[in-house]
């Protein structure tokens, strides 16, 4: 699992549950939205690059604005990242999450 240190904008494709991250160098990274989850009274999103389904999960702070737009933010510290990664691993133990990840593998 990795922590991405890039500044970015993103475009959300609600029909396919994918987000395109637009990185500092203006390159694009298409990602599947694995899940949105709570950790320590804050929401986070877990993304998986579509071109590397065996690669690292990417975690970002997640917020929906009043007009329904998604807003992603960087995880600010190693402690915060560790807590988020631990919470995500807890979710992996739940049957629904494992089934979802299996479906992602089948699509790849």
């Amino acid at each position: 699992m990795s922590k991405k240190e890039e500044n970015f904008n993103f475009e959300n494709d609600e029909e396919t549950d994918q987000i395109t991250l637009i990185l500092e160098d203006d390159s694009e990274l298409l990602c599947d939205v694995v899940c949105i989850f709570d950790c320590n009274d804050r929401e986070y999103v877990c993304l998986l690059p579509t071109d590397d389904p065996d690669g690292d999960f990417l975690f970002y702070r997640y917020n929906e604005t009043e007009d329904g737009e998604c807003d992603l933010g960087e995880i600010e510290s190693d402690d915060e990242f560790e807590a988020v990664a631990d919470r995500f691993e807890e979710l992996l133990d739940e049957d629904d999450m494992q089934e979802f990840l299996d479906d992602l593998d089948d699509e790849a």
Side-chain angles (χ1 to χ4, degrees), residues 2 7 16 48 51 62 65 73 78 83-84 103:
S2 70
N7 291 326
T16 60
L48 184 62
D51 64 349
Y62 176 84
T65 63
D78 290 339
V84 169
D103 289 345

Side-chain angles (χ1 to χ4, degrees), residues 55-66:
D56 292 336
F57 291 109
L58 306 174
F59 298 103
Y60 293 98
R61 289 181 177 181
Y62 176 84
N63 185 44
E64 273 191 44
T65 63
E66 288 181 14

Side-chain angles (χ1 to χ4, degrees), residues 28-104:
E28 294 183 357
L29 180 63
L30 182 62
C31 298
D32 289 315
V33 176
V34 176
C35 68
I36 297 169
F37 60 98
D38 291 324
C39 180
N40 296 331
D41 299 322
R42 190 172 278 191
E43 284 192 311
Y44 295 87
V45 62
C46 176
L47 305 175
L48 184 62
T50 57
D51 64 349
D52 189 11
D54 294 326
D56 292 336
F57 291 109
L58 306 174
F59 298 103
Y60 293 98
R61 289 181 177 181
Y62 176 84
N63 185 44
E64 273 191 44
T65 63
E66 288 181 14
D67 58 354
E69 295 292 318
C70 297
D71 182 32
L72 301 183
E74 293 291 330
I75 292 176
E76 296 179 359
S77 70
D78 290 339
D79 289 340
E80 180 183 6
F81 179 79
E82 192 170 314
V84 169
D86 288 346
R87 176 66 182 128
F88 179 72
E89 287 182 23
E90 289 173 11
L91 293 172
L92 286 177
D93 292 336
E94 296 176 10
D95 290 339
D96 291 339
M97 177 58 71
Q98 190 59 51
E99 183 178 318
F100 178 79
L101 292 174
D102 289 343
D103 289 345
L104 275 179

